[in-house]
Amino acid sequence: MNRIVVMGVSGCGKTTVGQGLAAALGGRFVDADDLHTDAARAQMGAGMPLTDEDRAPWLVRVGQTLAAPPLPVVVACSALRRRYRDAIRASAGGDVLFLHLAGPRHVIAARMALRRDHYMPVSLLDSQFAALEPPEPDETFATLDLHDTEADLIAAAVAAAASVREPG
């Protein structure tokens, strides 16, 4: 698969796994955080979650990034709700593999507490878990377990990307 989103709640390791996967595939990596507007980052940094209205143009930008050459492209993006993933797929113009990094709240909160200079505060983690709708059977996805090591997560991501055939 040439269009991949590494998804999950804030602090789960999307950037780390996404960068490792992109390097292993010889592709490019994009952090969807970089596609947010300054206003959206300021809003989240102030402890206020984005609304779906705030998020809509960002999801379009994520999908457009997945559609733009060169491929493969790996995007780290929360993609917490089904409708967000649907919007990304629609903007990408085709199927997208979602790699869901799943793990317990306490592990992710501990990781977040160690981060410096990140706009997303630990105080918003509960809202992230409340919003999370894990991928459904009719979506193209794999779930990766955060109890695995970084190397094992990247290896599992590479295997998942190799197992999905592009349409046509």
Side-chain angles (χ1 to χ4, degrees), residues 9 35 39 99 133 150:
V9 299
L35 303 175
L99 299 176
E133 297 170 356
E150 180 181 316

Side-chain angles (χ1 to χ4, degrees), residues 11-26:
C12 70
K14 295 181 295 289
T15 299
T16 300
V17 172
Q19 289 172 333
L21 175 59
L25 297 177

Side-chain angles (χ1 to χ4, degrees), residues 20-104:
L21 175 59
L25 297 177
R28 68 187 164 102
F29 172 78
V30 177
D31 192 323
D33 286 348
D34 295 337
L35 303 175
H36 276 299
T37 63
D38 290 341
R41 278 192 288 276
Q43 181 175 331
M44 290 182 285
M48 297 179 293
L50 299 178
T51 66
D52 284 354
E53 185 178 328
D54 296 329
R55 210 175 267 111
W58 172 68
L59 294 169
V60 169
R61 288 190 295 276
V62 171
Q64 290 170 337
T65 298
L66 287 162
L71 299 176
V73 61
V74 178
V75 176
C77 176
S78 55
L80 297 177
R81 295 189 185 275
R82 170 66 186 253
R83 67 180 168 267
Y84 304 163
R85 295 187 298 275
D86 289 345
I88 291 169
R89 275 189 290 273
S91 296
D95 204 10
V96 175
L97 171 62
F98 288 89
L99 299 176
H100 178 205
L101 300 181

Side-chain angles (χ1 to χ4, degrees), residues 1-3 95 97 140 160-168:
M1 175 64 69
N2 284 318
R3 292 178 303 242
D95 204 10
L97 171 62
T140 304
S163 71
V164 177
R165 293 190 172 268
E166 294 288 333

